[in-house]
């Protein structure tokens, strides 16, 4: 039997974790029959609930699931981890300023980066889902000096999938016929969902939709989709976030489809005028467990403006985090 | 492209439905790439939340998912359905007697049976998850005169999986090495989880565990597992119930493993002294979309007593339902 792959999840008793753990355990990340160990991490007050999650995972009798470890100690949870989902984060509470939120999360993710550096597999792939995801990824990576910053990324795949779904609905095609979508920049309200390169059944999307929709309603709908789901469900989009996290990690590990790409927030190299030194969402292609930013696209002026704006927000977040001297 | 398979789920915005819909849409019931339509049904007050579920399903960009229909009208929801998950049921409220519960659910499931009879595919497979599941299945099937009662079943697979997990943990083996587990009777506290036929890595379980555990703690643990999960999580075992529902329907449709069987509550034929005219959980083998009760086992006196007791409870439930004249 091959060795069991070590998969760590923080915030594992939360709503996203409750979806993510079962879909991974059922074989949807690594493939059916690949043995895996779930290393589920929570803060101390949630450990009782996490015990219940572990009981239910056992009760599913999953063929792939070989062990479940639960812990409120990062050292134990991250030990030997090869895939890491950083889902848990401090949510914005009533009366909390954005700067307070950034500071709270900077503390959490700097510590997580440091413990990953000590305990995780040195080639571990780390996906940050907890918000502010891009800057949390930057902080975690900065505190893991022995790990390659390219092995950290932040999730914009949910935005990417949402954008594909909106385009599919608009053009009356199945979502699987949409290719070459791009989410640029920050996983925030400044993100730029860009249709200019997208194809639908091989045809340029811009030949199928009007420019007003592409630059107006489409962008706003994708940016505000999370709020729309909360308004309908009364609670946040946990299942689709978990699904996107699996898509992100699976494509990173096993490769993107031929001719297509995905959106991932990765360390910026300045491509397309994005600022250096931030985690910026780009179109990327993955193969052999590594990603590369798609080059040679030619964003128009509208796009360059949007890329600049979301980049500026990321610089502000980075500078605020730096001032905390973490 | 093959035609899209129609899959209906009631209670689709509830906790189990929120797990079930996404796992089915991701391809785990029919197999990857098999196109499917989800027909999600809720009561009117939950339709707003169900809209949110449908939004999130679209946002997952699942390859297999071709359409999502949401409705609070059974006629629309069940139209052409080929797989039906009856998950929604009236839960027991404060101060509610068991007889009130039975009566409320008898009304719900008699109507669902009648509408399935009119609207669903005549060979539809119907799985009842909502409690009291066995008697709800009986009531639904009794109200669907044009459908084969064998196409209705109630879920004891969660109990079955829990029993396999307990035996695996006790013997230090992986759960996938456990075979020939049996849950007899009612999905209730009288269910009888029976180790007498079980194998672990091909060896008789009874040679590996002591009889006191098999007849005492093991049975109690499986019977009370749901309550233990609620105590830990603070909410019921939604993810493992959804997982078991997929296991049940998948094995029913695609067949059980060679040499093994599963537990399903099906119309009793009196085998093993169970009463006729109730839905009784038996060991069953499935092939070509049909199940048959495993014959030729020889339950000992302890087992026959337990089978009799859970059968008596099912007769009482049936008689109470009959008095409601539904």
């Amino acid at each position: 039997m091959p060795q069991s792959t070590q998969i760590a999840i923080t915030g594992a008793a939360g709503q996203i974790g409750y979806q993510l753990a079962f879909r991974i355990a059922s074989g949807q990340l690594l493939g059916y029959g690949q043995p895996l160990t779930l290393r589920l991490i929570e803060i101390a007050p949630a450990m009782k609930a996490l015990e219940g999650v572990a009981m239910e995972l056992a009760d599913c009798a999953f063929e792939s699931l070989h062990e479940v470890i639960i812990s409120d100690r990062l050292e134990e949870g991250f030990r030997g981890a090869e895939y890491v989902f950083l889902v848990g984060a401090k949510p914005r509470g009533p009366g909390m300023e954005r700067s307070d939120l950034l500071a709270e999360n900077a503390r959490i993710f700097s510590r997580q980066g440091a413990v990953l550096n000590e305990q995780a597999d040195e080639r571990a792939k780390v996906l940050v889902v907890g918000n502010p995801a891009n800057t949390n990824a930057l902080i975690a990576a900065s505190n893991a000096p022995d790990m390659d910053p390219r092995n950290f990324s932040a999730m914009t795949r949910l935005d990417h999938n949402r954008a594909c779904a909106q385009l599919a609905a608009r053009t009356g095609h199945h979502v699987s016929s949409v290719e070459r979508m791009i989410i640029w920049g920050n996983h925030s309200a400044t993100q730029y969902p860009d249709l200019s390169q997208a194809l639908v059944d091989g045809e340029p999307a811009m030949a199928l939709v009007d420019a007003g929709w592409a630059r107006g309603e489409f962008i706003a709908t994708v940016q505000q989709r999370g709020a729309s789901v909360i308004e309908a469900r009364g609670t946040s989009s946990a299942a689709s976030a978990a699904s996107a996290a699996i898509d992100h990690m699976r494509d990173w590990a096993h490769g993107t489809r031929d001719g297509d790409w995905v959106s991932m927030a990765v360390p910026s190299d300045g491509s397309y005028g994005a600022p250096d030194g931030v985690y910026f969402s780009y179109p990327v292609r993955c193969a052999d467990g590594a990603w590369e930013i798609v080059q040679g696209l030619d964003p128009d002026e509208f796009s360059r403006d949007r890329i600049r704006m979301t980049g500026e927000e990321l610089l502000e977040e980075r500078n605020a985090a730096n001032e905390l001297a973490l």
Side-chain angles (χ1 to χ4, degrees), chain A:
Chain A
M1 156 141 356
Q3 219 172 352
S4 186
T5 302
Q6 306 293 310
I7 302 173
I9 305 174
T10 67
Q15 293 297 311
I16 296 174
Y18 191 59
Q19 295 275 341
L20 188 57
F22 291 85
R23 287 197 49 200
I24 291 174
S26 75
Q28 291 195 315
L29 176 62
L30 303 175
Y32 290 91
Q34 291 297 315
L36 63 92
T37 297
L38 283 179
R39 312 185 72 89
L40 306 181
I41 302 163
E42 263 297 352
I43 53 176
M47 284 304 292
K48 180 88 178 164
L50 190 57
E51 275 174 39
V53 175
M55 291 166 73
E56 284 202 76
L57 283 163
D59 292 348
C60 288
F62 286 125
E63 193 181 338
S64 299
L65 183 62
H66 278 245
E67 194 177 0
V68 179
I69 288 159
I70 65 172
S71 186
D72 58 358
R73 294 184 308 111
L74 294 176
E75 289 76 3
E76 187 182 9
F78 288 156
R79 194 166 300 143
E82 297 162 80
Y83 296 92
V84 180
F85 294 85
L86 300 181
V87 176
K90 184 88 181 176
R92 193 161 182 169
M96 197 171 177
E97 296 293 327
R98 188 172 164 80
S99 57
D100 300 335
L101 182 75
L102 199 66
E104 288 267 18
N105 281 296
R107 270 187 285 277
I108 293 168
F109 285 84
S110 62
R111 166 126 169 81
Q112 292 187 349
V115 180
L116 283 168
N117 194 63
E118 294 299 318
Q119 298 292 344
D121 186 288
E122 63 183 350
R123 295 151 309 165
K125 289 180 163 50
V126 182
L127 168 59
V128 178
V129 175
N131 287 320
N134 298 50
T135 298
N136 289 343
L138 174 66
I139 291 168
S142 306
N143 284 275
D146 303 326
M147 294 174 74
D148 187 339
R150 292 175 59 91
N151 287 349
F152 288 77
S153 66
M155 187 166 94
T156 51
R157 183 62 175 268
L158 178 54
D159 310 301
H160 179 101
N161 287 348
R162 286 166 170 169
C164 291
Q166 289 300 316
L167 178 58
R170 183 74 174 190
T171 58
H173 284 78
H174 190 265
V175 68
S176 60
S177 67
V178 175
E179 293 176 289
R180 303 196 180 187
M181 184 61 69
I182 309 176
I183 304 294
W184 298 98
N186 199 2
H187 173 62
S188 76
T190 69
Q191 65 172 266
Y192 170 43
D194 176 6
L195 285 186
S196 66
Q197 310 293 326
L199 304 175
V200 182
D201 260 343
E203 266 194 276
M206 294 304 290
L208 302 170
V209 300
D210 61 278
W213 182 79
R215 294 183 167 185
E217 191 185 332
F218 166 74
I219 294 174
T221 300
V222 174
Q223 288 173 339
Q224 294 157 19
R225 185 72 166 175
S228 304
V229 171
I230 290 178
E231 197 199 329
R233 289 192 65 231
T235 175
S236 68
S237 47
S240 49
S243 198
I246 289 174
D247 289 347
H248 176 124
M249 197 69 104
R250 188 199 55 222
D251 288 348
W252 189 3
H254 301 145
T256 39
R257 289 190 294 181
D258 278 352
D260 200 5
W261 59 59
V262 295
S263 302
M264 290 170 55
V266 295
S268 168
D269 62 355
S271 293
Y272 301 107
D276 273 324
V278 299
Y279 275 69
F280 194 91
S281 181
Y282 280 113
V284 302
R285 290 202 179 93
C286 304
D288 303 321
W291 52 262
E292 57 174 26
I293 296 168
V294 175
Q295 297 296 342
L297 309 177
D298 186 19
D300 63 12
E301 192 182 335
F302 178 85
S303 295
R304 288 197 307 272
D305 267 359
R306 293 289 180 137
I307 290 171
R308 184 181 47 71
M309 284 191 291
T310 190
E312 281 168 6
E313 185 184 51
L314 281 168
L315 278 179
E316 283 165 27
E317 288 187 14
R318 186 192 69 180
N319 294 340
N322 281 344
E323 279 169 26
L324 297 165
L326 287 161

